[in-house]
Amino acid sequence: MDPELSGLSSMATRQILAEVTAQLRHDPGVALRFESAGGVAIARRVREGAAADLLVLAQDAIAALTREGHLLADTVRPLWVSRVVAAVPADAPARALATEADLRAALLAAPRIACSTGPSGDALLGLLDRLGLAGVLRPRLLQTPPGVPVGSLLAAGDADLAFQQHSELMDVPGVRVLGTLPGDTAISSTFSAGVLTASARPERAAAVLGLFGSGAASAAARARGMQPYGRPA
């Protein structure tokens, strides 16, 4: 077996990567290990010269790091698309979320609204501006520190409504997922990957990255609430 490759990723893709790397260890026998943390923290570590072979982050972060020379541009590829969902504490009544009016009503009724400091949180802030609700709702917003799951606030009773990637809210104890945001308010993020210029085995890392488009990897992504990039739902 070849020496173990290492990767870095944000928390949104942690479970998918755990499943994919476990599959790759059996066939074709690839040794690969990922470390996951908040996307902002991972990007900072890359800029500080972290030693790793592969990187999986939100597309905008990957693009910025590629421009800065931290990734081999010809290896960068989109992998998965994640939709942002709304969620409430498990013991809270389920709310309708079929229309923009439903979403507005849910937002205005929530005393405390949690979101992340990552791409989904930034997108939510932009959506509130577009809906003309930013001024009213900003005092109610709770943005978790990097790497802290938004679902933890719901489960602890510290938030009444939350928004984050589906992969990070599904199956969290104490959390009820209401669903994706309706119509034109929908928020999605693309997660991309590439080989780091710091890699000591860039050709091997690029070959392993190519396996992330396999049917097994796509199935793992769907099971964790993401859609393989460029493939129908």
Side-chain angles (χ1 to χ4, degrees):
M1 182 181 290
D2 291 319
E4 185 177 66
L5 295 171
S6 64
L8 298 170
S9 80
S10 61
M11 294 300 290
T13 57
R14 179 174 62 90
Q15 290 295 338
I16 298 174
L17 291 169
E19 294 179 27
V20 171
T21 54
Q23 294 165 359
L24 293 180
R25 284 180 179 273
H26 294 289
D27 183 15
V30 176
L32 174 62
R33 171 183 52 83
F34 267 89
E35 180 181 350
S36 301
V40 173
I42 290 295
R44 182 175 65 249
R45 286 175 57 183
V46 169
R47 290 185 170 101
E48 291 172 351
D53 300 292
L54 294 169
L55 180 67
V56 180
L57 283 178
Q59 191 172 57
D60 289 351
I62 289 286
L65 291 167
T66 302
R67 289 193 299 270
E68 294 167 20
H70 298 290
L71 288 157
L72 300 175
D74 60 350
T75 68
V76 172
R77 57 181 293 175
L79 292 177
W80 306 303
V81 178
S82 177
R83 302 291 291 275
V84 170
V85 296
V88 295
D91 58 358
R95 297 191 63 101
L97 206 64
T99 66
E100 182 178 313
D102 291 337
L103 176 60
R104 284 177 174 273
L107 287 164
L108 292 170
R112 300 164 301 175
I113 303 169
C115 64
S116 78
T117 51
S120 63
D122 292 341
L124 179 67
L125 295 179
L127 174 61
L128 296 182
D129 281 332
R130 184 161 62 82
L131 295 176
L133 298 176
V136 173
L137 297 180
R138 194 169 294 277
R140 308 184 200 176
L141 287 177
L142 307 170
Q143 279 193 288
T144 60
V148 175
V150 169
S152 66
L153 296 185
L154 289 177
D158 294 328
D160 307 287
L161 180 66
F163 299 86
Q164 199 171 26
Q165 310 291 347
H166 191 195
S167 61
E168 296 187 74
L169 284 172
M170 67 186 300
D171 302 329
V172 176
V175 171
R176 179 202 296 267
V177 173
L178 299 179
T180 55
L181 308 191
D184 292 340
T185 69
I187 297 172
S188 64
S189 297
T190 298
F191 288 87
S192 297
V195 176
L196 288 159
T197 54
S199 174
R201 293 153 292 176
E203 292 184 0
R204 180 60 178 157
V208 170
L209 178 56
L211 300 175
F212 278 55
S214 69
S218 296
R222 288 191 174 97
R224 297 305 307 173
M226 291 195 186
Q227 182 66 31
Y229 184 84
R231 299 191 185 182

